[in-house]
Amino acid sequence: MGVSSSLENALAGVPSGYRFVEGWGMVSGSHSRFVRPETVEQLQLVMKACQEEGVLMTLRGSGCSYGDASHTEPQENRASLVIDLTGLNRILDFESHGEGPDGKPAGYANVQGGVTFGQLWKHILPQGHWPRVVPGTMQPTIAGAASMNVHGKNNYMVGAMGANLRAVDLVTPDGELHTLKPGDDLFRAAIGGMGLLGCITRLEMRTQPVHSGNVAVRGVSATCVGDMMRVMGEHEDSTYYSVGWVDCFAKGKAAGRGLIHLARHLKPGEDPEPDKTCKLSYQQLPASILGFPKNEVWRPLRILNRDLGMRNLNRAKHFMGKREAKKGEYLQSHAGFNFLLDFVPNWKFAYGRKHGHGLIQYQPFLPKESAQGVFEELLALCQQRGFVSYLGVLKRHQPDDFLLTHAVDGWSLAMDFKVTPQNRGRLWDLCDAMTQVVLKGGGRFYFAKDLVIGPGALRRAFDGESVQKFLEHKRDLDPKNLMQSDLYRRVLEPYNAPVDLPLTHY
Ligand SMILES: Cc1cc2nc3c(=O)[nH]c(=O)nc-3n(C[C@H](O)[C@H](O)[C@H](O)COP(=O)(O)OP(=O)(O)OC[C@H]3O[C@@H](n4cnc5c(N)ncnc54)[C@H](O)[C@@H]3O)c2cc1C
């Protein structure tokens, strides 16, 4: 359905059009009308016109959420618009000599919501700072990340995005701009609020002073998932970053073996040439990998990207990890350590580029008491069903009090699964079985990654009072219920239906 004429007026002069808008995993998406405002005023006019005309709005940053958080299927008899926020991409200000609420030296970057992590670190590193929280790729926008309350490899140490924000501006569907601060109830709703209350147009985000362009990294080989959790747990008070790569093919006593990376910032004076290592030229990821131009590396990866190839690759990585663990501490650039996945651009294409092919990620968060048992059960379940994740990543987390929080004092295990039209039904069945195990263990789910969870799982896993408070905010700020996404209609809209809700969305 087309959009109304008063909205057409608001769109005049603003970049807009039609395109296929999909989740990062390439498994979901649809052809949509989009607009890409370049100023906050343009955005306000567009949102106001949508509100007047009853047009559905879906907010989108860089589209790095694996599933359906930032796209929308056409709805019967309702016009809809994807609002692409990447045009609001100005770094407004950077204050390098501030103090955090903990009294420690801090910087604060004042950025528009569409600024990416890549843009931000390139601006602040030459000034001796690094963002406190970054996800595993530098592509996401800061506002998109705040809307999912993303975490880095140091979640246990510094909290997630929301804990490192000093203020955000939120434009609500009526076009009004609100400045929210930690402590405001609406701040607790908007951070992690999946873009359903309004559009975040500006953020003040804490940054970390650094004394080098490198971090000191140490590999530790782990014999099984319990061993990995023990080692990471032992270092959590003293190590700034900690992440475990898990070989999901290993069985029996070796289930969950892998390689841990522990990393710390260098002390003042430890790097004799900080001006050199903080230069962008030093942080460049290599232009080629094993002789292949890096933009093309996904092509040979596609040949490996099946069970046999990935089993061997994981095994080789485990044995190389044992060697790495013997070499002690080594230096790696901030960009190299934090954005390892960006070394191979478009690596996801190795999962297939035809319609219906792609990948999903299943990343449950488990309390520390039940995590090990649940992860062991999940790894075994995957193997029994013949779906082994090609990449497993273990992280340690801390809880927070945002209304839709997925966080726990515990651990998450992220697992990537290849999707094809042939395996889709069986894979969703496996996810259903895994969800039952996770719920038994008191776990939660992370919607930045998810495409499979049904509303019943949200109802059972999340704090009901907080979800109701969130929905109240949504009714207040968005009385016509226009801020929607496929994710919203999948898990939140049915939340209060007086029926048994499914755990999995097929
Ligand atoms: C390779 C890879 C690695 C990743 N690693 C991690 C990781 O280590 N840790 C982690 O936590 N996540 C990780 N992610 C997930 C990613 O960080 C999140 O999905 C993030 O939200 C993506 O931001 P985006 O700008 O792409 O937003 P999108 O994916 O486009 O949107 C995300 C959500 O934000 C909303 N939104 C977008 N812009 C705005 C705005 N201006 N105002 C309000 N709402 C808005 C959307 O409606 C949607 O609900 C990873 C993703 C990839 C692809």
Side-chain angles (χ1 to χ4, degrees):
M1 200 186 161
V3 290
S4 66
S5 58
S6 92
L7 181 55
E8 296 300 344
N9 291 338
L11 293 180
V14 186
S16 65
Y18 289 85
R19 66 172 196 235
F20 193 74
V21 180
E22 65 180 359
W24 191 84
M26 306 175 293
V27 181
S28 60
S30 47
H31 204 69
S32 306
R33 184 156 199 196
F34 76 94
V35 58
R36 186 170 179 270
E38 288 170 339
T39 65
V40 176
E41 294 69 31
Q42 284 179 349
L43 171 75
Q44 286 174 300
L45 283 178
V46 168
M47 290 182 78
K48 222 166 149 208
C50 285
Q51 152 114 334
E52 279 163 18
E53 299 295 331
V55 174
L56 301 179
M57 293 172 259
T58 304
L59 303 185
R60 184 167 174 95
S62 298
C64 288
S65 295
Y66 277 61
D68 51 0
S70 59
H71 60 65
T72 184
E73 287 279 331
Q75 299 299 296
E76 218 174 302
N77 300 323
R78 311 230 21 205
S80 59
L81 189 64
V82 171
I83 306 182
D84 173 340
L85 279 319
T86 55
L88 294 178
N89 55 8
R90 278 171 280 284
I91 296 177
L92 303 169
D93 188 19
F94 177 56
E95 163 196 336
S96 62
H97 285 90
E99 193 176 89
D102 51 9
K104 294 194 177 151
Y108 282 93
N110 184 11
V111 297
Q112 287 193 319
V115 166
T116 63
F117 285 93
Q119 251 181 291
L120 179 61
W121 77 257
K122 286 174 190 166
H123 185 79
I124 64 175
L125 185 60
Q127 301 178 61
H129 278 254
W130 184 256
R132 286 261 286 188
V133 175
V134 296
T137 162
M138 63 175 103
Q139 313 299 333
T141 63
I142 308 285
S147 299
M148 286 300 186
N149 200 17
V150 311
H151 56 265
K153 299 173 179 66
N154 54 358
N155 187 198
Y156 59 96
M157 186 59 97
V158 305
M161 276 284 291
N164 291 283
L165 294 173
R166 190 166 66 175
V168 299
D169 285 351
L170 182 78
V171 174
T172 42
D174 55 7
E176 293 298 312
L177 190 147
H178 312 252
T179 298
L180 313 178
K181 302 224 155 109
D184 297 347
D185 205 37
L186 198 47
F187 184 83
R188 285 181 66 214
I191 303 305
M194 306 180 192
L196 299 173
L197 302 179
C199 181
I200 298 175
T201 52
R202 186 188 68 88
L203 307 91
E204 289 174 33
M205 185 190 174
R206 184 171 174 181
T207 65
Q208 177 72 31
V210 292
H211 307 286
S212 170
N214 286 318
V215 286
V217 187
R218 187 154 68 88
V220 183
S221 180
T223 54
C224 62
V225 71
D227 188 38
M228 191 172 280
M229 292 167 79
R230 180 187 60 74
V231 175
M232 287 170 72
E234 277 170 12
H235 289 85
E236 71 188 39
D237 293 331
S238 54
T239 305
Y240 194 78
Y241 298 109
S242 166
V243 63
W245 159 79
V246 176
D247 173 3
C248 297
F249 285 92
K251 286 191 168 162
K253 282 190 184 153
R257 72 181 180 185
L259 179 65
I260 302 160
H261 282 120
L262 305 170
R264 64 174 180 88
H265 286 299
L266 272 62
K267 298 186 200 90
E270 211 177 340
D271 178 353
E273 295 181 300
D275 289 346
K276 183 176 150 203
T277 56
C278 286
K279 279 212 173 96
L280 300 189
S281 53
Y282 183 85
Q283 301 287 322
Q284 289 295 344
L285 303 176
S288 66
I289 298 168
L290 298 174
F292 286 97
K294 69 178 179 181
N295 282 329
E296 299 299 321
V297 169
W298 66 268
R299 292 182 196 278
L301 264 186
R302 196 170 46 175
I303 300 162
L304 271 182
N305 204 35
R306 52 204 73 219
D307 281 1
L308 182 63
M310 284 295 149
R311 179 189 298 278
N312 287 330
L313 196 71
N314 273 271
R315 183 180 292 152
K317 191 164 158 52
H318 175 63
F319 288 107
M320 273 156 60
K322 284 184 161 187
R323 284 231 311 264
E324 182 183 326
K326 286 191 188 131
K327 80 177 187 194
E329 221 175 42
Y330 59 92
L331 298 178
Q332 195 173 11
S333 70
H334 290 283
F337 177 75
N338 282 289
F339 305 126
L340 194 64
L341 292 169
D342 292 338
F343 266 87
V344 185
N346 297 326
W347 59 266
K348 66 176 180 176
F349 292 161
Y351 282 87
R353 297 189 70 180
K354 283 189 294 211
H355 183 66
H357 293 252
L359 74 160
I360 58 167
Q361 189 174 97
Y362 191 86
Q363 184 181 14
F365 280 61
L366 271 301
K368 57 183 187 298
E369 294 74 18
S370 61
Q372 182 182 336
V374 168
F375 294 153
E376 286 167 353
E377 209 173 328
L378 297 184
L379 289 168
L381 192 59
C382 292
Q383 290 173 1
Q384 280 158 21
R385 301 268 183 116
F387 282 103
V388 178
S389 164
Y390 292 170
L391 177 67
V393 177
L394 183 78
K395 287 191 200 136
R396 175 80 170 101
H397 300 279
Q398 60 168 275
D400 58 54
D401 69 348
F402 295 100
L403 292 182
L404 291 187
T405 186
H406 55 275
V408 293
D409 179 7
W411 301 80
S412 72
L413 177 62
M415 294 174 282
D416 289 359
F417 295 99
K418 183 173 182 168
V419 181
T420 65
Q422 293 74 33
N423 78 8
R424 187 177 169 128
R426 283 181 299 117
L427 179 55
W428 261 242
D429 284 346
L430 166 67
C431 293
D432 189 68
M434 291 203 285
T435 298
Q436 299 188 35
V437 177
V438 171
L439 288 171
K440 245 189 335 175
R444 292 186 174 181
F445 306 94
Y446 184 26
F447 292 107
K449 304 295 184 68
D450 173 61
L451 189 64
V452 300
I453 297 300
L458 180 78
R459 205 190 248 180
R460 280 180 53 191
F462 282 51
D463 175 56
E465 214 177 295
S466 301
V467 177
Q468 294 301 357
K469 264 199 195 160
F470 178 85
L471 292 173
E472 270 166 40
H473 280 300
K474 178 152 173 64
R475 280 191 291 273
D476 280 356
L477 298 173
D478 182 19
K480 293 188 179 172
N481 196 20
L482 300 174
M483 311 248 15
Q484 300 200 2
S485 60
D486 288 331
L487 170 63
Y488 168 74
R489 288 186 291 270
R490 171 162 66 93
V491 296
L492 266 169
E493 195 173 46
Y495 187 81
N496 282 322
V499 288
D500 262 357
L501 295 171
L503 299 184
T504 301
H505 183 88
Y506 281 89

